[in-house]
Amino acid sequence: MKFFVDTANLEEIKEAYSLGVLDGVTTNPSLMAKVGVKGNDAVMKHYKSICEIVDGDVSAEVIATDFAGMVREGEALAEIDPKIVVKIPMIKDGIKAIRYFSDNGIKTNCTLVFSAGQALLAAKAGATYVSPFIGRLDDIGFEGVDLIAQIVMIYQTYNYPTQVLAASIRHTSHLIRCAELGADVATCPLKVITDLLNHPLTDKGLEQFLADAKKMQ
Ligand code: G3P
């Protein structure tokens, strides 16, 4: 399973990369706004800086919602670096844009996916990744991880090469369920990745080992 970090914060990305387990980065306009990047040039430079830190795919989202605008923005984003994956919302023109990019050798991530039908469309259009948002489904009373199971089953049945990128992951249980269900990628805040380290028996065991090691000195 690949781990992506879901942030535009360069320090967090550096820290995640330093762990040696990071496979990529996802961003979205909200995450970019959060780090205070303003203006097209600054946005493009910021994506380049992310690409210089990581060794893996970096999702950069288009703002346009019409086909021509998405193609224009996506082509400009793809020129920044070969690591860039053009992130496109699950709307009608988005599907057309994904087909266009797929036919032209540009990687895509179909975002804001909340149903198996949407995931099926993304795969048929040739998306490199599909991003089902599990936390946001939980927020409205659904079992978000059930959607991961459904999509994984459908893609396996038809051998679609589109990778399931589980997004809107809020805690380690989400991530572990996604791993059990066969999601190809989990994208999450750095804290969710570092929280995987924690177990009270590890702390207790280490404390004991260190206390006993003192007796040998
Ligand atoms: O990048 C998309 C997704 O991961 C957002 O997560 O927590 O805002 O629902 P969240």
Side-chain angles (χ1 to χ4, degrees):
M1 181 187 220
K2 291 188 220 166
F3 282 2
F4 288 2
V5 71
D6 195 29
T7 182
N9 182 303
L10 298 181
E11 291 314 309
E12 266 178 35
I13 295 168
K14 279 180 200 159
E15 194 184 331
Y17 186 68
S18 74
L19 286 171
V21 297
L22 188 70
D23 302 294
V25 175
T26 51
T27 64
N28 61 40
S30 307
L31 295 170
M32 291 292 279
K34 201 170 160 187
V35 293
V37 193
K38 278 200 180 111
N40 194 52
D41 284 356
V43 167
M44 296 305 221
K45 269 190 200 144
H46 198 82
Y47 287 134
K48 185 69 189 172
S49 302
I50 296 175
C51 292
E52 282 165 357
I53 300 169
V54 295
D55 192 11
D57 284 347
V58 175
S59 286
E61 190 160 340
V62 297
I63 311 298
T65 53
D66 64 296
F67 174 75
M70 283 191 252
V71 166
R72 194 172 52 246
E73 279 180 30
E75 283 180 335
L77 288 168
E79 282 208 355
I80 297 173
D81 194 285
K83 292 172 190 164
I84 290 286
V85 175
V86 181
K87 202 171 178 186
I88 297 178
M90 165 44 75
I91 53 177
K92 197 197 275 182
D93 277 28
I95 287 298
K96 292 181 192 173
I98 289 168
R99 167 52 59 204
Y100 171 86
F101 287 125
S102 170
D103 290 346
N104 286 277
I106 290 175
K107 292 174 284 185
T108 54
N109 174 357
C110 183
T111 189
L112 291 167
V113 167
F114 294 94
S115 75
Q118 291 178 327
L120 190 51
L121 272 177
K124 286 189 64 67
T128 314
Y129 297 100
V130 67
S131 288
F133 279 29
I134 64 177
R136 292 192 194 185
L137 279 169
D138 287 0
D139 291 344
I140 59 159
F142 287 83
E143 195 62 53
V145 290
D146 288 352
L147 178 59
I148 302 297
Q150 240 185 326
I151 299 172
V152 166
M153 187 179 71
I154 292 169
Y155 284 9
Q156 278 177 357
T157 302
Y158 292 98
N159 277 325
Y160 286 124
T162 302
Q163 295 178 56
V164 180
L165 193 169
S168 188
I169 287 181
R170 306 272 172 76
H171 43 71
T172 54
S173 306
H174 270 157
L175 196 151
I176 299 301
R177 281 299 291 145
C178 289
E180 286 172 345
L181 293 166
D184 300 283
V185 190
T187 191
C188 53
L190 174 60
K191 183 178 183 308
V192 177
I193 298 175
T194 53
D195 278 354
L196 292 174
L197 288 163
N198 301 334
H199 198 287
L201 289 179
T202 304
D203 298 340
K204 193 178 166 206
L206 183 61
E207 202 179 314
Q208 185 68 58
F209 286 154
L210 294 178
D212 290 341
K214 273 191 191 151
K215 296 176 192 164
M216 299 185 296
Q217 283 162 9

